[in-house]
């Protein structure tokens, strides 16, 4: 007899195919207990009700993978005005690990932190982000003149990061430099360029300092390796 197929979006099937299935806020937060794990969303998740604690930081980085399977994480609220590395993920990836986030949608988010602030991630290093979107976000870097690095999707990317087929509809502001509607800073230091392709941003970008852009705030290449940005555009309004 032919076995009865299991629907592809059930937690059991998702876990068997791609890793641990995430269907609740508590399960999403529990990723912090295994930052190198493989995860997949099995349902939309509403984070309304209480502030979110970012997954990972610059000491304990997320080095696993998360496939959103097209699901939506809504009503993300992060208020961490005295902290760096702020977003759904605080720090995504680490040199040599190639962390991955794909097929994830974030809607109606408010994210604020001192520096390295983005809706999806505050910082990404040696990570791959594909087919992710942010719709209806407010992102704020609240630190003084020596802080900044805020973006509608990610605050700062560096060292072999690849971002493709993503977009951000967000209002981004900061009291410092390096502010972009999509990414705040691209840093390809250490001979490890980043690539951003087929992405766009919409919204507004403002700062009281310099290095402000509708798409990217600042691109740096300390060793001349040269990052690549192609087939991207912005219709964001930038003031700085």
């Amino acid at each position: 007899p032919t076995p009865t197929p299991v629907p592809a979006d059930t937690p059991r099937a998702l876990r068997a195919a791609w890793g641990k299935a995430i269907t609740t806020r508590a399960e999403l937060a529990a990723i912090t207990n295994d930052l190198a794990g493989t995860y997949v969303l099995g349902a939309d998740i509403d984070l309304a009700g209480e502030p979110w604690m970012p997954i990972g930081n610059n000491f304990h980085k997320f080095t696993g993978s998360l496939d959103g399977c097209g699901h939506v994480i809504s009503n993300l609220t992060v208020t961490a005005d005295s902290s760096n590395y702020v977003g759904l993920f605080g720090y995504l990836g680490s040199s040599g690990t190639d962390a991955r986030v794909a097929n994830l949608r974030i809607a109606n988010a408010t994210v604020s932190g001192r520096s390295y602030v983005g809706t999806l991630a505050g910082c990404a290093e040696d990570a791959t982000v594909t087919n992710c979107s942010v719709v209806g976000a407010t992102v704020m870097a609240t630190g003084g003149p020596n802080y900044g690095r805020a973006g509608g999707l990610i605050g700062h990317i560096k060292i072999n990061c690849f971002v493709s087929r993503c977009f951000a509809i967000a209002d981004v502001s900061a009291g410092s430099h390096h502010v972009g509607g999509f990414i705040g800073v691209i840093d390809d230091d250490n001979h490890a360029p980043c690539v951003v392709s087929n992405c766009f941003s919409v919204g507004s970008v403002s700062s009281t300092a310099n290095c402000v852009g509708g798409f990217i705030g600042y691109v740096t290449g300390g060793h001349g390796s040269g990052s690549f940005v192609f087939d991207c555009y912005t219709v964001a309004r930038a003031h700085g």
Side-chain angles (χ1 to χ4, degrees):
T2 302
T4 302
V6 178
D9 60 349
T10 65
R12 180 182 299 175
L14 292 172
R15 184 167 55 250
W18 298 310
K20 181 176 176 57
I22 303 294
T23 59
T24 68
R25 177 193 177 107
E27 290 173 342
L28 186 66
I31 290 176
T32 57
N33 298 326
D34 182 7
L35 292 170
T38 300
Y39 304 94
V40 58
L41 290 191
D44 295 343
I45 298 177
D46 188 346
L47 297 180
E50 58 182 290
W52 177 254
M53 178 68 69
I55 298 169
N57 56 45
N58 56 318
F59 297 107
H60 305 284
K61 304 170 183 179
F62 178 78
T63 58
S65 66
L66 173 66
D67 192 327
C69 290
H71 288 295
V72 181
I73 294 176
S74 59
N75 300 310
L76 168 70
T77 300
V78 185
T79 305
D81 292 346
S82 62
S83 299
N84 302 329
Y85 305 103
V86 176
L88 177 69
F89 292 90
Y91 206 114
L92 180 62
S94 181
S95 181
T97 62
D98 191 21
R100 293 176 179 267
V101 178
N103 308 314
L104 179 64
R105 299 160 61 196
I106 302 175
N108 302 324
T110 301
V111 180
S112 66
R114 181 170 60 180
S115 184
Y116 297 93
V117 186
T119 309
L120 177 65
C123 185
E125 174 185 351
D126 204 347
T128 299
V129 179
T130 56
N131 197 32
C132 294
S133 64
V134 170
V135 177
T138 300
V139 178
M140 295 168 285
T142 59
N146 294 323
Y147 298 95
R149 297 175 176 83
L153 186 76
I154 303 172
H156 185 124
I157 69 171
K158 62 179 182 178
I159 307 177
N160 287 327
C161 267
F162 295 87
V163 181
S164 65
R165 303 194 309 277
C166 298
F167 68 87
I169 301 174
D171 295 324
V172 186
S173 62
S176 186
H177 48 234
H178 301 164
V179 187
F182 189 69
I183 293 170
V185 176
I186 297 178
D187 182 355
D188 62 10
D189 209 348
N190 299 317
H191 298 281
C194 300
V195 178
V196 180
S197 65
N198 297 289
C199 298
F200 70 90
S201 64
V202 179
S204 65
V205 185
S206 62
S207 173
T208 57
N210 55 11
C211 299
V212 180
F215 190 67
I216 297 167
Y218 186 70
V219 179
T220 178
H223 295 284
S225 50
S227 287
F228 301 90
V229 178
F230 60 92
D231 293 335
C232 297
Y233 71 91
T234 182
V235 292
R237 303 178 305 278
H239 306 278

